[in-house]
Amino acid sequence: MIQRRPIKPSVALAKLQELCARSEQCSYEILTRLKKWGVPDTTSAKILALLKRDRYVDDSRYVEAFVRDKVVFNRWGRTKIRLALVQKHLLSDLIADGLESIDNDEYVTALTEVLESKSRTLQDVSTYDARMKLLKYAVSRGFEMGIASEMIKKLFPR
């Protein structure tokens, strides 16, 4: 939805500074917001450069915060996090660094909680169908199939 009158660049900059002071934003989100506000591309690039210069926007800091939040709070796996970051047009090097920063213990804890939560909705976890449902659910949450399969065997021995 594009506004009828474009926002003045000074107003847009002030709004974005306030937004970035409250929460992490990536370059793509800033540019998308500026486009929605009707700010021309050349002006958008200048505003983004100012925000980066003043450290309101830092894509590497954004990736670290995004990865940490998605593992700890949303219980997402690496695959789902990677896809979300790719959709935000972030550099693959930043994404790789962010995914490497995931603490293995937190990751295993997140997977364990996802599997235990789902297992409570199933009748008998020892059946093949129930185990496949657990595996599919873990994979749909972005966890790697190998890790999920090992964790299912460990948590729910036959």
Side-chain angles (χ1 to χ4, degrees):
M1 181 173 124
I2 296 177
Q3 289 185 340
R4 295 180 190 181
R5 283 189 308 163
I7 293 180
K8 291 180 183 178
S10 59
V11 174
L13 178 62
K15 282 185 173 188
L16 289 172
Q17 285 172 334
E18 183 182 327
L19 173 70
C20 292
R22 284 186 277 129
S23 65
E24 289 292 337
Q25 302 291 317
C26 68
S27 301
Y28 178 73
E29 291 171 337
I30 296 297
L31 291 174
T32 303
R33 193 172 296 257
L34 287 167
K35 188 172 192 160
K36 184 177 109 181
W37 290 344
V39 177
D41 290 342
T42 55
T43 308
S44 295
K46 290 176 185 175
I47 290 173
L48 181 60
L50 285 172
L51 291 171
K52 283 184 175 184
R53 184 196 71 196
D54 295 338
R55 304 224 357 111
Y56 282 103
V57 175
D58 183 354
D59 286 343
S60 62
R61 190 177 64 212
Y62 175 82
V63 168
E64 289 175 19
F66 186 89
V67 168
R68 185 179 52 253
D69 287 353
K70 294 305 176 188
V71 170
V72 173
F73 299 116
N74 296 69
R75 304 295 186 216
W76 284 9
R78 287 183 182 98
T79 307
K80 191 169 183 174
I81 293 170
R82 177 181 284 112
L83 289 174
L85 291 171
V86 167
Q87 287 178 337
K88 293 180 182 290
H89 302 277
L90 293 163
L91 298 174
S92 58
D93 293 343
L94 292 177
I95 295 171
D97 290 344
L99 292 174
E100 285 177 18
S101 72
I102 295 174
D103 180 43
N104 198 40
D105 292 336
E106 282 183 355
Y107 194 71
V108 169
T109 301
L111 175 57
T112 302
E113 289 180 10
V114 164
L115 291 172
E116 288 175 346
S117 173
K118 180 64 177 174
S119 71
R120 288 191 284 274
T121 66
L122 301 173
Q123 296 285 330
D124 183 15
V125 184
S126 63
T127 66
Y128 175 79
D129 288 339
R131 288 172 170 275
M132 284 298 105
K133 285 181 182 180
L134 281 173
L135 184 62
K136 286 179 185 177
Y137 185 70
V139 169
S140 75
R141 296 295 299 247
F143 293 96
E144 299 86 344
M145 187 170 294
I147 295 171
S149 178
E150 288 176 29
M151 189 59 67
I152 289 170
K153 287 176 188 175
K154 184 178 175 183
L155 290 174
F156 309 106
R158 290 183 183 217

